[in-house]
mmCIF file of all heavy atoms in Angstrom:
data_model
loop_
_atom_site.group_PDB
_atom_site.id
_atom_site.type_symbol
_atom_site.label_atom_id
_atom_site.label_comp_id
_atom_site.label_asym_id
_atom_site.label_seq_id
_atom_site.Cartn_x
_atom_site.Cartn_y
_atom_site.Cartn_z
ATOM 1 N N ARG U 231 0.868 -1.193 0.018
ATOM 2 C CA ARG U 231 -0.049 0.059 -0.017
ATOM 3 C C ARG U 231 0.938 1.279 -0.025
ATOM 4 O O ARG U 231 1.801 1.344 0.755
ATOM 5 C CB ARG U 231 -0.877 0.014 1.243
ATOM 6 C CG ARG U 231 -1.799 1.254 1.300
ATOM 7 C CD ARG U 231 -2.901 1.116 2.345
ATOM 8 N NE ARG U 231 -2.390 0.699 3.626
ATOM 9 C CZ ARG U 231 -3.007 -0.185 4.448
ATOM 10 N NH1 ARG U 231 -4.131 -0.682 4.047
ATOM 11 N NH2 ARG U 231 -2.473 -0.466 5.594
ATOM 12 N N ALA U 232 0.561 2.207 -0.870
ATOM 13 C CA ALA U 232 1.265 3.493 -0.879
ATOM 14 C C ALA U 232 0.862 4.349 0.247
ATOM 15 O O ALA U 232 -0.310 4.308 0.701
ATOM 16 C CB ALA U 232 0.980 4.185 -2.215
ATOM 17 N N ASN U 233 1.837 5.200 0.709
ATOM 18 C CA ASN U 233 1.323 6.181 1.745
ATOM 19 C C ASN U 233 1.034 7.457 1.018
ATOM 20 O O ASN U 233 0.724 7.470 -0.177
ATOM 21 C CB ASN U 233 2.431 6.375 2.830
ATOM 22 C CG ASN U 233 3.781 6.881 2.272
ATOM 23 O OD1 ASN U 233 3.869 7.476 1.194
ATOM 24 N ND2 ASN U 233 4.860 6.671 3.002
ATOM 25 N N THR U 234 1.006 8.579 1.710
ATOM 26 C CA THR U 234 0.543 9.835 1.108
ATOM 27 C C THR U 234 1.663 10.655 0.526
ATOM 28 O O THR U 234 1.432 11.824 0.047
ATOM 29 C CB THR U 234 -0.232 10.690 2.155
ATOM 30 O OG1 THR U 234 0.557 10.902 3.352
ATOM 31 C CG2 THR U 234 -1.539 9.964 2.516
ATOM 32 N N ASN U 235 2.921 10.164 0.485
ATOM 33 C CA ASN U 235 4.023 10.865 -0.045
ATOM 34 C C ASN U 235 4.464 10.167 -1.307
ATOM 35 O O ASN U 235 4.841 8.983 -1.276
ATOM 36 C CB ASN U 235 5.216 10.961 0.931
ATOM 37 C CG ASN U 235 4.793 11.656 2.238
ATOM 38 O OD1 ASN U 235 4.197 12.740 2.194
ATOM 39 N ND2 ASN U 235 5.050 10.977 3.336
ATOM 40 N N ALA U 236 4.480 10.899 -2.453
ATOM 41 C CA ALA U 236 4.963 10.270 -3.695
ATOM 42 C C ALA U 236 6.445 10.046 -3.666
ATOM 43 O O ALA U 236 7.168 10.813 -3.030
ATOM 44 C CB ALA U 236 4.583 11.225 -4.851
ATOM 45 N N GLY U 237 6.870 8.997 -4.278
ATOM 46 C CA GLY U 237 8.351 8.676 -4.216
ATOM 47 C C GLY U 237 8.581 7.254 -4.598
ATOM 48 O O GLY U 237 7.825 6.673 -5.422
ATOM 49 N N LYS U 238 9.567 6.600 -3.955
ATOM 50 C CA LYS U 238 9.956 5.270 -4.288
ATOM 51 C C LYS U 238 9.603 4.312 -3.157
ATOM 52 O O LYS U 238 9.753 4.672 -1.965
ATOM 53 C CB LYS U 238 11.422 5.159 -4.651
ATOM 54 C CG LYS U 238 11.812 5.889 -5.950
ATOM 55 C CD LYS U 238 13.291 5.734 -6.201
ATOM 56 C CE LYS U 238 13.670 6.427 -7.486
ATOM 57 N NZ LYS U 238 15.107 6.339 -7.778
ATOM 58 N N ILE U 239 9.211 3.116 -3.534
ATOM 59 C CA ILE U 239 9.049 2.011 -2.572
ATOM 60 C C ILE U 239 9.959 0.911 -2.971
ATOM 61 O O ILE U 239 9.974 0.489 -4.164
ATOM 62 C CB ILE U 239 7.564 1.460 -2.594
ATOM 63 C CG1 ILE U 239 6.617 2.621 -2.299
ATOM 64 C CG2 ILE U 239 7.421 0.368 -1.555
ATOM 65 C CD1 ILE U 239 5.159 2.220 -2.405
ATOM 66 N N LYS U 240 10.762 0.412 -2.056
ATOM 67 C CA LYS U 240 11.680 -0.734 -2.406
ATOM 68 C C LYS U 240 11.190 -1.947 -1.585
ATOM 69 O O LYS U 240 11.153 -1.933 -0.367
ATOM 70 C CB LYS U 240 13.141 -0.406 -2.018
ATOM 71 C CG LYS U 240 14.087 -1.507 -2.356
ATOM 72 C CD LYS U 240 15.566 -1.067 -2.337
ATOM 73 C CE LYS U 240 16.125 -1.029 -0.967
ATOM 74 N NZ LYS U 240 17.577 -0.849 -0.943
ATOM 75 N N ILE U 241 10.929 -3.029 -2.326
ATOM 76 C CA ILE U 241 10.503 -4.304 -1.786
ATOM 77 C C ILE U 241 11.616 -5.309 -1.988
ATOM 78 O O ILE U 241 12.135 -5.427 -3.103
ATOM 79 C CB ILE U 241 9.189 -4.789 -2.447
ATOM 80 C CG1 ILE U 241 8.087 -3.740 -2.296
ATOM 81 C CG2 ILE U 241 8.759 -6.105 -1.786
ATOM 82 C CD1 ILE U 241 7.732 -3.029 -3.521
ATOM 83 N N LYS U 242 11.941 -6.000 -0.923
ATOM 84 C CA LYS U 242 12.955 -7.080 -0.969
ATOM 85 C C LYS U 242 12.302 -8.376 -0.653
ATOM 86 O O LYS U 242 11.554 -8.473 0.319
ATOM 87 C CB LYS U 242 14.140 -6.751 -0.083
ATOM 88 C CG LYS U 242 15.221 -7.790 -0.141
ATOM 89 C CD LYS U 242 16.389 -7.487 0.804
ATOM 90 C CE LYS U 242 17.481 -8.532 0.719
ATOM 91 N NZ LYS U 242 18.548 -8.329 1.661
ATOM 92 N N ALA U 243 12.637 -9.445 -1.401
ATOM 93 C CA ALA U 243 12.073 -10.726 -1.157
ATOM 94 C C ALA U 243 13.324 -11.693 -0.967
ATOM 95 O O ALA U 243 14.320 -11.631 -1.686
ATOM 96 C CB ALA U 243 11.305 -11.302 -2.276
ATOM 97 N N SER U 244 13.272 -12.527 0.134
ATOM 98 C CA SER U 244 14.322 -13.507 0.366
ATOM 99 C C SER U 244 13.697 -14.774 0.927
ATOM 100 O O SER U 244 12.586 -14.805 1.439
ATOM 101 C CB SER U 244 15.344 -12.888 1.349
ATOM 102 O OG SER U 244 14.703 -12.492 2.496
ATOM 103 N N VAL U 245 14.518 -15.876 0.808
ATOM 104 C CA VAL U 245 14.113 -17.147 1.303
ATOM 105 C C VAL U 245 14.321 -17.202 2.777
ATOM 106 O O VAL U 245 15.311 -16.747 3.257
ATOM 107 C CB VAL U 245 14.772 -18.305 0.556
ATOM 108 C CG1 VAL U 245 14.522 -19.656 1.170
ATOM 109 C CG2 VAL U 245 14.428 -18.312 -0.928
ATOM 110 N N VAL U 246 13.316 -17.697 3.525
ATOM 111 C CA VAL U 246 13.427 -17.733 4.990
ATOM 112 C C VAL U 246 14.600 -18.651 5.444
ATOM 113 O O VAL U 246 15.416 -18.200 6.238
ATOM 114 C CB VAL U 246 12.101 -18.156 5.603
ATOM 115 C CG1 VAL U 246 12.232 -18.313 7.128
ATOM 116 C CG2 VAL U 246 11.055 -17.182 5.352
ATOM 117 N N PHE U 247 14.522 -19.904 5.088
ATOM 118 C CA PHE U 247 15.577 -20.824 5.574
ATOM 119 C C PHE U 247 16.707 -20.957 4.558
ATOM 120 O O PHE U 247 16.545 -21.533 3.494
ATOM 121 C CB PHE U 247 14.864 -22.230 5.778
ATOM 122 C CG PHE U 247 13.668 -22.178 6.687
ATOM 123 C CD1 PHE U 247 12.448 -22.408 6.197
ATOM 124 C CD2 PHE U 247 13.835 -21.888 8.040
ATOM 125 C CE1 PHE U 247 11.328 -22.382 6.933
ATOM 126 C CE2 PHE U 247 12.752 -21.851 8.882
ATOM 127 C CZ PHE U 247 11.483 -22.030 8.354
ATOM 128 N N GLU U 248 17.795 -20.323 4.934
ATOM 129 C CA GLU U 248 18.897 -20.289 4.009
ATOM 130 C C GLU U 248 19.814 -21.494 4.121
ATOM 131 O O GLU U 248 19.992 -22.042 5.215
ATOM 132 C CB GLU U 248 19.762 -18.976 4.236
ATOM 133 C CG GLU U 248 18.919 -17.680 3.911
ATOM 134 C CD GLU U 248 19.709 -16.464 4.047
ATOM 135 O OE1 GLU U 248 20.886 -16.561 4.481
ATOM 136 O OE2 GLU U 248 19.231 -15.394 3.646
ATOM 137 N N GLY U 249 20.436 -21.834 3.006
ATOM 138 C CA GLY U 249 21.421 -22.954 2.973
ATOM 139 C C GLY U 249 22.425 -22.689 1.866
ATOM 140 O O GLY U 249 22.492 -21.594 1.323
ATOM 141 N N ILE U 250 23.149 -23.760 1.502
ATOM 142 C CA ILE U 250 24.158 -23.646 0.419
ATOM 143 C C ILE U 250 23.554 -23.273 -0.849
ATOM 144 O O ILE U 250 24.122 -22.453 -1.676
ATOM 145 C CB ILE U 250 24.974 -24.993 0.342
ATOM 146 C CG1 ILE U 250 25.680 -25.277 1.651
ATOM 147 C CG2 ILE U 250 25.949 -24.938 -0.807
ATOM 148 C CD1 ILE U 250 26.261 -26.677 1.663
ATOM 149 N N HIS U 251 22.472 -23.871 -1.240
ATOM 150 C CA HIS U 251 21.813 -23.640 -2.555
ATOM 151 C C HIS U 251 20.637 -22.765 -2.448
ATOM 152 O O HIS U 251 19.684 -22.886 -3.321
ATOM 153 C CB HIS U 251 21.524 -24.994 -3.221
ATOM 154 C CG HIS U 251 22.693 -25.874 -3.473
ATOM 155 N ND1 HIS U 251 23.698 -25.546 -4.332
ATOM 156 C CD2 HIS U 251 23.034 -27.043 -2.903
ATOM 157 C CE1 HIS U 251 24.648 -26.527 -4.310
ATOM 158 N NE2 HIS U 251 24.194 -27.443 -3.457
ATOM 159 N N THR U 252 20.605 -21.864 -1.517
ATOM 160 C CA THR U 252 19.406 -20.990 -1.310
ATOM 161 C C THR U 252 19.386 -20.024 -2.558
ATOM 162 O O THR U 252 20.356 -19.378 -2.942
ATOM 163 C CB THR U 252 19.606 -20.155 -0.093
ATOM 164 O OG1 THR U 252 19.623 -21.097 1.053
ATOM 165 C CG2 THR U 252 18.350 -19.245 0.134
ATOM 166 N N PRO U 253 18.222 -19.865 -3.131
ATOM 167 C CA PRO U 253 17.992 -18.880 -4.189
ATOM 168 C C PRO U 253 18.338 -17.430 -3.772
ATOM 169 O O PRO U 253 18.046 -17.097 -2.590
ATOM 170 C CB PRO U 253 16.566 -19.040 -4.608
ATOM 171 C CG PRO U 253 16.130 -20.429 -4.130
ATOM 172 C CD PRO U 253 16.917 -20.678 -2.967
ATOM 173 N N LEU U 254 19.020 -16.717 -4.583
ATOM 174 C CA LEU U 254 19.385 -15.332 -4.274
ATOM 175 C C LEU U 254 18.144 -14.485 -4.099
ATOM 176 O O LEU U 254 17.147 -14.686 -4.786
ATOM 177 C CB LEU U 254 20.281 -14.735 -5.410
ATOM 178 C CG LEU U 254 21.598 -15.451 -5.605
ATOM 179 C CD1 LEU U 254 22.295 -14.870 -6.906
ATOM 180 C CD2 LEU U 254 22.516 -15.336 -4.443
ATOM 181 N N SER U 255 18.300 -13.514 -3.188
ATOM 182 C CA SER U 255 17.105 -12.612 -2.918
ATOM 183 C C SER U 255 16.934 -11.591 -4.154
ATOM 184 O O SER U 255 17.844 -11.527 -4.987
ATOM 185 C CB SER U 255 17.399 -11.770 -1.657
ATOM 186 O OG SER U 255 18.573 -11.029 -1.774
ATOM 187 N N ALA U 256 15.807 -10.985 -4.129
ATOM 188 C CA ALA U 256 15.477 -10.061 -5.256
ATOM 189 C C ALA U 256 14.953 -8.725 -4.660
ATOM 190 O O ALA U 256 14.394 -8.689 -3.575
ATOM 191 C CB ALA U 256 14.428 -10.634 -6.211
ATOM 192 N N GLU U 257 15.137 -7.636 -5.440
ATOM 193 C CA GLU U 257 14.617 -6.303 -5.035
ATOM 194 C C GLU U 257 13.800 -5.718 -6.182
ATOM 195 O O GLU U 257 14.093 -5.986 -7.338
ATOM 196 C CB GLU U 257 15.732 -5.379 -4.672
ATOM 197 C CG GLU U 257 16.370 -5.696 -3.356
ATOM 198 C CD GLU U 257 17.430 -4.644 -2.925
ATOM 199 O OE1 GLU U 257 17.683 -3.715 -3.696
ATOM 200 O OE2 GLU U 257 18.019 -4.829 -1.894
ATOM 201 N N LEU U 258 12.774 -4.950 -5.836
ATOM 202 C CA LEU U 258 11.967 -4.300 -6.771
ATOM 203 C C LEU U 258 11.696 -2.883 -6.309
ATOM 204 O O LEU U 258 11.355 -2.693 -5.155
ATOM 205 C CB LEU U 258 10.628 -5.077 -7.009
ATOM 206 C CG LEU U 258 9.614 -4.376 -7.879
ATOM 207 C CD1 LEU U 258 10.033 -4.439 -9.367
ATOM 208 C CD2 LEU U 258 8.271 -5.045 -7.743
ATOM 209 N N ILE U 259 11.802 -1.905 -7.189
ATOM 210 C CA ILE U 259 11.533 -0.522 -6.871
ATOM 211 C C ILE U 259 10.296 -0.047 -7.622
ATOM 212 O O ILE U 259 10.264 -0.169 -8.828
ATOM 213 C CB ILE U 259 12.689 0.413 -7.135
ATOM 214 C CG1 ILE U 259 13.846 0.064 -6.195
ATOM 215 C CG2 ILE U 259 12.308 1.890 -6.962
ATOM 216 C CD1 ILE U 259 15.173 0.872 -6.432
ATOM 217 N N ILE U 260 9.261 0.419 -6.890
ATOM 218 C CA ILE U 260 8.056 0.939 -7.472
ATOM 219 C C ILE U 260 8.021 2.451 -7.235
ATOM 220 O O ILE U 260 8.239 2.880 -6.088
ATOM 221 C CB ILE U 260 6.811 0.266 -6.890
ATOM 222 C CG1 ILE U 260 6.860 -1.231 -7.137
ATOM 223 C CG2 ILE U 260 5.510 0.850 -7.408
ATOM 224 C CD1 ILE U 260 5.796 -1.968 -6.318
ATOM 225 N N LYS U 261 7.744 3.144 -8.277
ATOM 226 C CA LYS U 261 7.489 4.628 -8.117
ATOM 227 C C LYS U 261 6.069 4.980 -7.927
ATOM 228 O O LYS U 261 5.244 4.482 -8.649
ATOM 229 C CB LYS U 261 8.119 5.371 -9.268
ATOM 230 C CG LYS U 261 9.601 5.234 -9.417
ATOM 231 C CD LYS U 261 10.126 6.047 -10.633
ATOM 232 C CE LYS U 261 11.649 5.897 -10.742
ATOM 233 N NZ LYS U 261 12.166 6.559 -11.943
ATOM 234 N N THR U 262 5.774 5.785 -6.949
ATOM 235 C CA THR U 262 4.371 6.285 -6.776
ATOM 236 C C THR U 262 4.275 7.679 -7.290
ATOM 237 O O THR U 262 5.241 8.439 -7.232
ATOM 238 C CB THR U 262 4.012 6.210 -5.260
ATOM 239 O OG1 THR U 262 4.846 7.045 -4.482
ATOM 240 C CG2 THR U 262 4.110 4.745 -4.727
ATOM 241 N N ILE U 263 3.121 8.040 -7.737
ATOM 242 C CA ILE U 263 2.793 9.362 -8.258
ATOM 243 C C ILE U 263 1.896 10.124 -7.331
ATOM 244 O O ILE U 263 1.165 9.508 -6.556
ATOM 245 C CB ILE U 263 2.220 9.320 -9.716
ATOM 246 C CG1 ILE U 263 0.891 8.512 -9.714
ATOM 247 C CG2 ILE U 263 3.237 8.685 -10.640
ATOM 248 C CD1 ILE U 263 0.095 8.689 -10.997
ATOM 249 N N ASP U 264 1.850 11.462 -7.425
ATOM 250 C CA ASP U 264 0.944 12.255 -6.659
ATOM 251 C C ASP U 264 -0.524 11.845 -6.924
ATOM 252 O O ASP U 264 -0.827 11.532 -8.047
ATOM 253 C CB ASP U 264 1.137 13.725 -6.970
ATOM 254 C CG ASP U 264 2.461 14.263 -6.416
ATOM 255 O OD1 ASP U 264 2.788 13.890 -5.232
ATOM 256 O OD2 ASP U 264 3.105 15.038 -7.069
ATOM 257 N N SER U 265 -1.307 11.924 -5.909
ATOM 258 C CA SER U 265 -2.753 11.564 -6.053
ATOM 259 C C SER U 265 -3.395 12.522 -6.980
ATOM 260 O O SER U 265 -3.153 13.660 -7.077
ATOM 261 C CB SER U 265 -3.386 11.634 -4.756
ATOM 262 O OG SER U 265 -4.741 11.333 -4.808
ATOM 263 N N LYS U 266 -4.313 11.969 -7.818
ATOM 264 C CA LYS U 266 -5.029 12.807 -8.754
ATOM 265 C C LYS U 266 -6.080 13.659 -8.108
ATOM 266 O O LYS U 266 -6.478 14.731 -8.564
ATOM 267 C CB LYS U 266 -5.740 11.871 -9.800
ATOM 268 C CG LYS U 266 -4.841 11.110 -10.710
ATOM 269 C CD LYS U 266 -5.668 10.197 -11.590
ATOM 270 C CE LYS U 266 -4.752 9.340 -12.506
ATOM 271 N NZ LYS U 266 -5.422 8.299 -13.197
ATOM 272 N N HIS U 267 -6.507 13.237 -6.928
ATOM 273 C CA HIS U 267 -7.489 13.976 -6.141
ATOM 274 C C HIS U 267 -6.803 14.522 -4.915
ATOM 275 O O HIS U 267 -5.994 13.928 -4.267
ATOM 276 C CB HIS U 267 -8.672 13.042 -5.742
ATOM 277 C CG HIS U 267 -9.316 12.410 -6.903
ATOM 278 N ND1 HIS U 267 -10.120 13.067 -7.843
ATOM 279 C CD2 HIS U 267 -9.200 11.136 -7.428
ATOM 280 C CE1 HIS U 267 -10.470 12.209 -8.758
ATOM 281 N NE2 HIS U 267 -10.013 11.060 -8.550
ATOM 282 N N ARG U 268 -7.273 15.678 -4.480
ATOM 283 C CA ARG U 268 -6.764 16.346 -3.335
ATOM 284 C C ARG U 268 -7.131 15.501 -2.037
ATOM 285 O O ARG U 268 -8.244 15.063 -1.881
ATOM 286 C CB ARG U 268 -7.338 17.768 -3.167
ATOM 287 C CG ARG U 268 -6.783 18.569 -2.019
ATOM 288 C CD ARG U 268 -7.272 20.055 -2.174
ATOM 289 N NE ARG U 268 -8.690 20.105 -1.989
ATOM 290 C CZ ARG U 268 -9.292 20.295 -0.809
ATOM 291 N NH1 ARG U 268 -8.585 20.338 0.277
ATOM 292 N NH2 ARG U 268 -10.628 20.398 -0.760
ATOM 293 N N ILE U 269 -6.148 15.334 -1.247
ATOM 294 C CA ILE U 269 -6.358 14.608 0.016
ATOM 295 C C ILE U 269 -6.942 15.493 1.069
ATOM 296 O O ILE U 269 -6.361 16.559 1.395
ATOM 297 C CB ILE U 269 -5.032 13.969 0.571
ATOM 298 C CG1 ILE U 269 -4.540 12.940 -0.525
ATOM 299 C CG2 ILE U 269 -5.237 13.240 1.893
ATOM 300 C CD1 ILE U 269 -3.234 12.343 -0.231
ATOM 301 N N ILE U 270 -8.159 15.147 1.553
ATOM 302 C CA ILE U 270 -8.919 16.021 2.429
ATOM 303 C C ILE U 270 -8.318 15.919 3.884
ATOM 304 O O ILE U 270 -8.262 16.889 4.611
ATOM 305 C CB ILE U 270 -10.414 15.638 2.452
ATOM 306 C CG1 ILE U 270 -10.894 15.896 1.101
ATOM 307 C CG2 ILE U 270 -11.165 16.552 3.442
ATOM 308 C CD1 ILE U 270 -12.362 15.381 0.828
ATOM 309 N N ALA U 271 -7.941 14.755 4.259
ATOM 310 C CA ALA U 271 -7.391 14.523 5.684
ATOM 311 C C ALA U 271 -6.170 15.316 5.950
ATOM 312 O O ALA U 271 -5.347 15.594 5.060
ATOM 313 C CB ALA U 271 -7.122 13.041 5.885
ATOM 314 N N ASP U 272 -6.085 15.809 7.186
ATOM 315 C CA ASP U 272 -4.924 16.587 7.620
ATOM 316 C C ASP U 272 -3.734 15.649 7.679
ATOM 317 O O ASP U 272 -3.811 14.499 8.155
ATOM 318 C CB ASP U 272 -5.286 17.104 9.009
ATOM 319 C CG ASP U 272 -4.064 17.985 9.558
ATOM 320 O OD1 ASP U 272 -3.805 19.059 8.928
ATOM 321 O OD2 ASP U 272 -3.405 17.527 10.466
ATOM 322 N N LYS U 273 -2.587 16.196 7.168
ATOM 323 C CA LYS U 273 -1.352 15.338 7.093
ATOM 324 C C LYS U 273 -0.900 14.883 8.522
ATOM 325 O O LYS U 273 -0.384 13.739 8.610
ATOM 326 C CB LYS U 273 -0.213 16.063 6.404
ATOM 327 C CG LYS U 273 -0.437 16.147 4.912
ATOM 328 C CD LYS U 273 0.835 16.487 4.160
ATOM 329 C CE LYS U 273 0.577 16.434 2.656
ATOM 330 N NZ LYS U 273 1.794 16.656 1.868
ATOM 331 N N ASN U 274 -1.020 15.733 9.489
ATOM 332 C CA ASN U 274 -0.664 15.355 10.846
ATOM 333 C C ASN U 274 -1.517 14.194 11.371
ATOM 334 O O ASN U 274 -1.013 13.298 12.054
ATOM 335 C CB ASN U 274 -0.729 16.601 11.742
ATOM 336 C CG ASN U 274 0.272 17.635 11.440
ATOM 337 O OD1 ASN U 274 1.413 17.329 10.931
ATOM 338 N ND2 ASN U 274 -0.049 18.930 11.714
ATOM 339 N N GLU U 275 -2.852 14.311 11.042
ATOM 340 C CA GLU U 275 -3.714 13.245 11.485
ATOM 341 C C GLU U 275 -3.364 11.921 10.824
ATOM 342 O O GLU U 275 -3.404 10.884 11.461
ATOM 343 C CB GLU U 275 -5.204 13.613 11.141
ATOM 344 C CG GLU U 275 -5.747 14.687 12.054
ATOM 345 C CD GLU U 275 -7.211 15.044 11.622
ATOM 346 O OE1 GLU U 275 -7.702 14.512 10.629
ATOM 347 O OE2 GLU U 275 -7.763 15.884 12.332
#
């Protein structure tokens, strides 16, 4: 879920139980854009 600040989200996935032949982890960066609609809620709230 995106928060209210546009920018980048970095997600990392890794295998829980690691060993000699454990698959390498992966990273993904998602860019979020400003909301098309004005956010009514107060930012502090």
Side-chain angles (χ1 to χ4, degrees):
R231 179 167 51 219
N233 63 19
T234 53
N235 301 311
K238 292 180 180 179
I239 303 173
K240 182 164 83 170
I241 302 106
K242 182 180 178 183
S244 55
V245 172
V246 174
F247 305 109
E248 296 186 353
I250 298 171
H251 299 295
T252 300
L254 298 174
S255 59
E257 286 185 359
L258 175 70
I259 293 177
I260 299 172
K261 291 181 181 177
T262 61
I263 61 169
D264 288 319
S265 177
K266 293 176 185 172
H267 305 286
R268 186 170 64 89
I269 297 174
I270 299 171
D272 181 69
K273 286 197 173 184
N274 293 332
E275 288 179 356

